[in-house]
Amino acid sequence: MAMASDLVSRMRKFSVILRGPERPPVWPAKPRLICWLLDTRNLWPGNKIDEAAGEYLELISSTERANVRSKVFMRDAKLALGSALLKRLFIRKILGVPWTSISFHRRGDPMHGKPCYIHRDDPSIVVEFNVSHQHGLVALVGSLGADIELGVDIVSVNERDDFRIINSEGFDGWVDMFDEIFGVEDRWDMKYNVDRFQLLDGTVITGAQLGRADRCCVTDKELITQAVGPDGSPWRFNSDLLIDAKLRRFYTFWCYKEAYIKLSGEALLAPWLRQLEFRNVVSPLPGTVARCSTDGVWGERLTDVEVLLHGETQEHVRMEIQAFEENYMIACAINTSRIGAEFPPFEVIDIERELLQYASWGMDA
């Protein structure tokens, strides 16, 4: 009975969100950026999204509900629902518009253009945002007070069974499968360079210490470093550690590229895709995975990648990447020709707490 009573109470509060009053848009004097992260992995437990999150489904549009329900796997349905709620919460929270009046537009192409929000009463108020989701996490970056270009991408390094092909074709053969996405120089960089990796005893080995061992592209091979340790002997290790580091660096390239093309509003079929290159690519050191009641810990944040298009450095584009837990990385991109702001740290969003907060605000109004 207590659980049923709690559900009814939540439903009443959520209904207030739908009919809540409007407050005047809060438009800052200086543009600012917002970075949110939603973790859906422990949300809405169950096997059917309608049973697990029925009250949340009522908070999104019929088109969005149909998209959520079309997902075969529960994890994908949760990602779709989380993404829809996060976008609406973003607009509701920063502008105060009624939840039910929130609708999204697309720039340029009505089917494939970038999503944005245009205020219904004042078309000069345009809110740019971008969303990415992967393996249970949803990332959102948005701007307030400036009409600017943004992009975000999130990757999970060990989500796919990449080693099935790497073990048979080699890491170099696996990288060459992406020759329609990455140019020759970037692919060479991925295959034969590595920034750093950790041995089983905790020793960190850099690319400079490896010597020509960095050319190795096969798994399960004994390697030795060019540099020597404190005892005067080189370090010996299994090449699996090197390939793991190269794979993580490949996904760093991938994350950068996806964030950039989402900034531009073009898909992976952009004609200039192979001409988009990156220099000084370093994979961010991982954080730690969430355990028991603790949240996942953020890893290293890097901001010094160089972006080139058709051989020209893109001075007006700022990019950064940050690790989350052991396997996730999030890359952000911004066109700085209109704004010089830097991305703030990501804020982890508790979606139920945020929604109930706005329900309470609506009841008090």
Side-chain angles (χ1 to χ4, degrees):
M1 289 295 294
M3 291 181 62
S5 175
D6 180 60
L7 177 61
V8 170
S9 175
R10 290 210 318 255
M11 288 289 288
R12 286 175 177 170
K13 289 184 177 181
F14 285 163
S15 70
V16 175
I17 297 175
L18 295 176
R19 66 176 188 270
E22 181 172 8
R23 54 181 169 82
V26 179
W27 208 236
K30 292 184 178 180
R32 68 185 177 98
L33 302 175
I34 293 172
C35 299
W36 284 358
L37 184 70
L38 173 65
D39 188 346
T40 70
R41 291 172 294 181
N42 295 320
L43 288 176
W44 312 309
N47 297 317
K48 296 181 179 180
I49 196 66
D50 277 279
E51 295 176 1
E55 67 269 35
Y56 292 89
L57 285 168
E58 295 303 314
L59 299 178
I60 60 179
S61 70
S62 58
T63 301
E64 290 167 325
R65 279 196 297 274
N67 178 53
V68 172
R69 289 167 172 160
S70 71
K71 305 302 180 184
V72 176
F73 299 105
M74 183 65 173
R75 62 178 181 270
D76 296 327
K78 293 200 296 183
L79 279 176
L81 176 57
S83 178
L85 288 171
L86 199 63
K87 289 184 289 188
R88 290 178 172 275
L89 177 64
F90 173 62
I91 300 300
R92 170 72 163 157
K93 188 170 184 178
I94 67 172
L95 291 183
V97 298
W99 189 276
T100 53
S101 73
I102 297 173
S103 61
F104 300 106
H105 301 76
R106 289 189 178 272
R107 293 182 180 275
D109 189 303
M111 289 293 293
H112 305 291
K114 289 185 66 176
C116 67
Y117 174 82
I118 301 175
H119 197 277
R120 61 180 182 179
D121 297 325
D122 186 353
S124 68
I125 298 179
V126 178
V127 179
E128 174 91 10
F129 63 88
N130 198 236
V131 174
S132 178
H133 48 75
Q134 188 78 19
H135 202 49
L137 300 186
V138 183
L140 178 147
V141 296
S143 68
L144 183 60
D147 181 10
I148 59 175
E149 295 177 330
L150 296 166
V152 66
D153 188 59
I154 183 168
V155 296
S156 177
V157 177
N158 293 320
E159 181 183 6
R160 307 189 324 167
D161 186 17
D162 297 318
F163 275 95
R164 180 179 59 84
I165 298 176
I166 292 172
N167 287 336
S168 62
E169 303 295 329
F171 184 74
D172 50 351
W174 181 80
V175 168
D176 281 337
M177 293 173 54
F178 302 92
D179 61 346
E180 294 185 356
I181 298 174
F182 295 102
V184 174
E185 289 195 37
D186 275 356
R187 296 203 316 276
W188 193 96
D189 194 357
M190 296 173 196
K191 296 175 194 176
Y192 305 121
N193 285 324
V194 64
D195 38 49
R196 59 203 167 183
F197 63 96
Q198 192 174 63
L199 301 183
L200 298 180
D201 65 359
T203 301
V204 175
I205 301 296
T206 66
Q209 291 173 311
L210 269 179
R212 293 305 83 181
D214 61 5
R215 297 296 187 263
C216 178
C217 289
V218 298
T219 56
D220 198 25
K221 179 180 179 180
E222 183 176 331
L223 299 174
I224 61 173
T225 64
Q226 177 177 287
V228 297
D231 63 354
S233 301
W235 288 278
R236 297 178 180 271
F237 61 95
N238 189 283
S239 63
D240 286 3
L241 298 175
L242 175 62
I243 301 304
D244 276 340
K246 289 186 176 184
L247 184 63
R248 182 175 178 85
R249 192 161 176 268
F250 168 88
Y251 278 108
T252 305
F253 275 90
W254 183 279
C255 202
Y256 277 135
K257 179 153 286 196
E258 284 272 17
Y260 185 97
I261 64 176
K262 292 177 74 174
L263 172 146
S264 69
E266 302 206 39
L268 281 172
L269 297 177
W272 43 260
L273 198 59
R274 297 177 79 253
Q275 283 70 52
L276 174 63
E277 299 174 311
F278 302 95
R279 301 289 182 267
N280 193 36
V281 174
V282 176
S283 55
L285 293 174
T288 57
V289 71
R291 291 181 175 87
C292 300
S293 61
T294 63
D295 294 327
V297 175
W298 290 95
E300 189 176 25
R301 180 180 181 182
L302 301 172
T303 62
D304 53 356
V305 69
E306 182 181 1
V307 185
L308 294 90
L309 184 60
H310 303 295
E312 299 288 333
T313 301
Q314 302 299 289
E315 300 285 358
H316 63 284
V317 174
R318 183 197 306 276
M319 299 198 74
E320 67 173 49
I321 193 165
Q322 185 170 15
F324 180 71
E325 296 185 356
E326 294 177 335
N327 293 322
Y328 294 97
M329 292 183 283
I330 306 173
C332 300
I334 181 173
N335 186 330
T336 59
S337 60
R338 297 185 184 178
I339 181 175
E342 296 184 359
F343 286 103
F346 271 87
E347 177 187 356
V348 178
I349 296 297
D350 181 334
I351 195 71
E352 182 173 73
R353 180 179 61 82
E354 292 283 352
L355 291 175
L356 292 180
Q357 173 186 337
Y358 280 95
S360 300
W361 174 77
M363 287 187 290
D364 293 340

